[in-house]
Amino acid sequence: MSLEVRGLHAGYGRLPVLHGIDLDAADGELVAVIGANGAGKTTLLRALSGLLTATAGTVRLGDADVTGLGPERLARAGLAHVPENRLVFPSLSVDDNLVLGGYTRRRGPAAERSRARDRALALFPRLEPRMRQAAGTLSGGEQQMLAIARGLMAQPRVLVLDEPSVGLAPRLVGEIFSALGRLRDGGLTLVVVEQNARAAFAVADRAYVMDRGRVVLEGEPATLMSDPRVTAGFLGGGFAAEVPAPGPAAPRPSAPGDGGRR
Ligand SMILES: Nc1ncnc2c1ncn2[C@@H]1O[C@H](COP(=O)(O)OP(=O)(O)O)[C@@H](O)[C@H]1O
Ligand SMILES: [Mg+2]
């Protein structure tokens, strides 16, 4: 299902943060949105998923105008949001986290919930042996996998993800992004917000660059990657600092590990 955003404005109280965002994701497209810390990426996803009310602009999902709908109705319309910091319920089991992910589909056919669950576990087989384990005891990478699997339990047609790479070792970042690529190959539409431009560009079909609440560049990842404004410009530490060193991905002692428990 396609996503079309036009002239979206949103903010907090009287503080405007988004100043007219235009963004498209075609059906089955994986779109990356990159930008430095504070660019407004999280605010954009909150406005898309109805957690924040837009002050102007329109959002369409497929043929439907979904502007102004709340989170539950948007979820039923097909949009799922995987929030930043992989907010799983730490004291609940992996299994119960998945069940809660299917909450908006609770009145739907049980067979569809069960298929969604099988597909999510096939995508992240590491979760399968941990179903009874408290989610808070999973590694950081496993928690991110659970957060995505939980989003998939809502049976979305459009999945938006907020910085899935944060705090993960490069190998896990690769694992997560290749799973997102497989979801796209299966026909899902994805919008991934990232500071880690290189990881996002490796799988994205198209990308947007945000700066201070605006889209400042748009194009194919390969083109953006060689744009001096991307490499040298406003990406702060996000581009240069988080690029893994070329060559074999040997874990460096100083690399952020996967063991970070939240
Ligand atoms: N809950 C909030 N209340 C007020 N201002 C906020 C809130 N969340 C974010 N902001 C402000 O909105 C701007 C964009 O933040 P955010 O969308 O989180 O950026 P990003 O996700 O790109 O790092 C920042 O200036 C930030 O301080
Ligand atoms: Mg953010």
Side-chain angles (χ1 to χ4, degrees):
M1 188 182 268
S2 61
L3 173 74
E4 181 196 282
V5 180
R6 289 291 175 273
L8 193 72
H9 288 250
Y12 302 94
R14 287 166 56 186
L15 173 78
V17 172
L18 302 180
H19 309 283
I21 300 286
D22 293 333
L23 180 146
D24 285 281
D27 192 17
E29 194 178 31
L30 196 168
V31 169
V33 179
I34 62 163
N37 195 20
K41 306 181 297 299
T42 294
T43 304
L44 172 63
L45 292 196
R46 285 190 189 137
L48 289 181
S49 61
L51 297 169
L52 200 60
T53 308
T55 48
T58 58
V59 181
R60 300 179 68 87
L61 268 184
D63 294 333
D65 185 343
V66 296
T67 313
L69 294 190
E72 175 143 4
R73 288 185 65 193
L74 270 165
R76 273 195 247 113
L79 187 123
H81 180 181
V82 179
E84 62 186 332
N85 301 322
R86 36 187 171 274
L87 299 173
V88 297
F89 297 99
S91 61
L92 296 184
S93 68
V94 169
D95 201 15
D96 286 344
N97 270 275
L98 291 180
V99 169
L100 283 176
Y103 181 77
T104 52
R105 301 292 180 192
R106 66 195 178 280
R107 299 198 211 291
E112 279 181 19
R113 283 198 301 278
S114 146
R115 264 200 300 277
R117 181 193 165 88
D118 291 348
R119 278 197 305 263
L121 291 176
L123 190 67
F124 298 119
R126 289 177 186 231
L127 296 177
E128 182 96 60
R130 299 184 166 84
M131 294 306 276
R132 310 244 50 88
Q133 194 173 324
T137 65
L138 298 176
S139 72
E142 290 159 357
Q143 287 190 27
Q144 185 61 62
M145 291 173 192
L146 175 58
I148 297 170
R150 190 182 55 181
L152 293 172
M153 290 294 291
Q155 302 168 40
R157 306 284 304 279
V158 178
L159 186 68
V160 304
L161 302 101
D162 200 342
E163 302 215 33
S165 81
V166 159
L168 301 185
R171 186 178 53 78
L172 278 152
V173 173
E175 221 176 285
I176 299 279
F177 273 87
S178 81
L180 299 183
R182 270 176 279 148
L183 288 171
R184 179 261 322 272
D185 297 342
L188 187 65
T189 305
L190 296 105
V191 176
V192 187
V193 148
E194 266 297 341
Q195 279 190 67
N196 187 335
R198 170 138 321 172
F201 283 2
V203 291
D205 300 306
R206 229 152 37 74
Y208 293 85
V209 180
M210 274 183 77
D211 185 35
R212 284 165 284 177
R214 292 186 163 83
V215 169
V216 291
L217 285 172
E218 179 199 339
E220 294 194 359
T223 315
L224 290 179
M225 200 75 127
S226 54
D227 190 312
R229 288 170 296 179
V230 173
T231 50
F234 34 75
L235 289 176
F239 193 77
E242 291 187 21
V243 174
R252 285 165 297 156
S254 60
D258 177 36
R261 305 216 161 136
R262 313 191 62 94

